[in-house]
């Protein structure tokens, strides 16, 4: 059992309770970290009424002007109806426009409006600050390790060996 | 930029799209990993109709028989009304009982019922399996590093230096 000092300190008891097996569960720490980071996200980028999925969608439209809804849904692993709701909301606020697609008459090409591009610049600056604050207990190497380890949890790896229990 | 091979492979493009700054954001990888792990949680422990917060609550009651609702809410950082709903649901299913507290007439002492203890044993076995599968791309050292890094994101550290931008 090799933990940093800060990690070891919180181990075992919280609010005077025995924590049982919780401190050994990845699911527990992932949920707690997710809650802590997105509470802070909501206090920073959230003041503009922008959620995490909306921010991700704006970033992808900026990086891929004319992108289709289905490509964004696939890249961010949202189901299609969730993405349509996100784009509806961004379009209602005048941040994104749907144009007819040159390639496919049944789909739309998404672009940022001028207002959308301006707000996204502000959001990116807030995100820089937010990312710095939520990870301020980590040095740059630790932050990069954490990113790479998290990426391996959500990026499909090689096929699982057959015959695994369960 | 030092990333593992698996991490680097997924970098830059997903579903043929340029990912912009998303792959550099902790919030992005945390959300994706959270979605991946809890989708798997729901396919395993979820088949018993048990959510993450319910599982955490059962584990704390087991480790602290007679615990109060407010202590659990504090330890798991739920607001009180959320915890009351969780305990209501567990009580309705006959997994938990509320007894009068010997210390404080206004609060309840929570205990597992026999059914609750039996189900929790099954859930813990499923959780072991679930934890092994979601982290199967990590070796044991990497898994422990990830736990410790996540813990530092959600465990309050020393006070922040004054005068931070923002």
């Amino acid at each position: 059992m090799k933990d940093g000092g800060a990690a070891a300190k919180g181990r075992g008891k919280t609010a005077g309770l025995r924590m049982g097996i919780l401190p050994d569960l990845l699911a527990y720490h992932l949920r707690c970290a997710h809650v802590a980071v997105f509470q802070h996200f909501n206090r920073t980028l959230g003041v503009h009424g922008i959620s995490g999925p909306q921010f991700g969608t704006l970033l992808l439209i900026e990086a891929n002007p004319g992108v289709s809804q289905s490509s964004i849904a696939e890249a961010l692993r949202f189901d299609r109806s969730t993405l349509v709701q996100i784009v509806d909301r961004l379009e209602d606020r005048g941040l994104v426009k749907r144009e007819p697609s040159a390639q496919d008459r049944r789909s739309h090409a998404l672009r940022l409006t001028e207002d959308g591009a301006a707000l996204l610049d502000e959001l990116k600056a807030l995100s820089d600050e937010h990312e710095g604050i939520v990870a301020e207990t980590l040095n740059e190497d630790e932050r990069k390790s954490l990113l790479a380890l998290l990426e391996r949890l959500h990026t499909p790896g090689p096929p699982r060996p057959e015959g695994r229990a369960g």
Side-chain angles (χ1 to χ4, degrees), chain A:
Chain A
M1 297 277 283
K2 197 180 60 178
D3 292 312
K9 229 173 28 185
R11 205 150 261 255
K13 284 204 165 193
T14 297
L17 293 191
R18 284 178 295 275
M19 296 298 282
I21 63 168
L22 277 172
D24 299 315
L25 300 183
L26 177 57
Y28 169 67
H29 291 291
L30 199 52
R31 180 178 287 271
C32 292
H34 187 266
V35 167
V37 167
F38 280 90
Q39 278 178 348
H40 189 267
F41 184 100
N42 290 334
R43 288 199 301 272
T44 48
L45 285 80
V47 300
H48 289 284
I50 292 289
S51 68
Q54 288 176 358
F55 182 49
T57 300
L58 289 171
L59 286 171
L60 285 194
I61 296 173
E62 181 192 46
N64 304 274
V67 65
S68 70
Q69 295 188 146
S70 55
S71 297
I72 294 184
E74 191 186 340
L76 298 180
R77 277 169 273 177
F78 296 142
D79 59 46
R80 209 183 136 71
S81 65
T82 302
L83 204 267
V84 167
Q85 283 171 18
I86 291 169
V87 175
D88 281 350
R89 175 97 183 96
L90 295 172
E91 195 181 32
D92 287 348
R93 290 182 61 183
L95 303 174
V96 160
K97 56 193 170 192
R98 285 177 165 111
E99 295 175 347
S101 165
Q103 280 87 49
D104 178 356
R105 285 191 315 161
R106 291 158 308 174
S107 91
H108 292 103
L110 302 176
R111 290 179 200 282
L112 298 183
T113 63
E114 261 183 52
D115 282 357
L119 177 61
L120 185 54
D121 282 343
E122 256 186 87
L123 295 171
K124 285 196 283 189
L126 284 171
S127 169
D128 273 358
E129 202 185 300
H130 156 72
E131 289 271 322
I133 291 174
V134 296
E136 68 183 354
T137 57
L138 310 182
N139 66 33
E140 187 53 19
D141 280 351
E142 290 168 333
R143 200 187 74 88
K144 283 193 174 146
S145 295
L146 177 56
L147 252 60
L149 291 166
L150 288 172
E151 186 165 21
R152 283 164 61 191
L153 288 187
H154 70 80
T155 304
R160 236 170 253 163
E162 292 297 323
R164 173 144 203 143

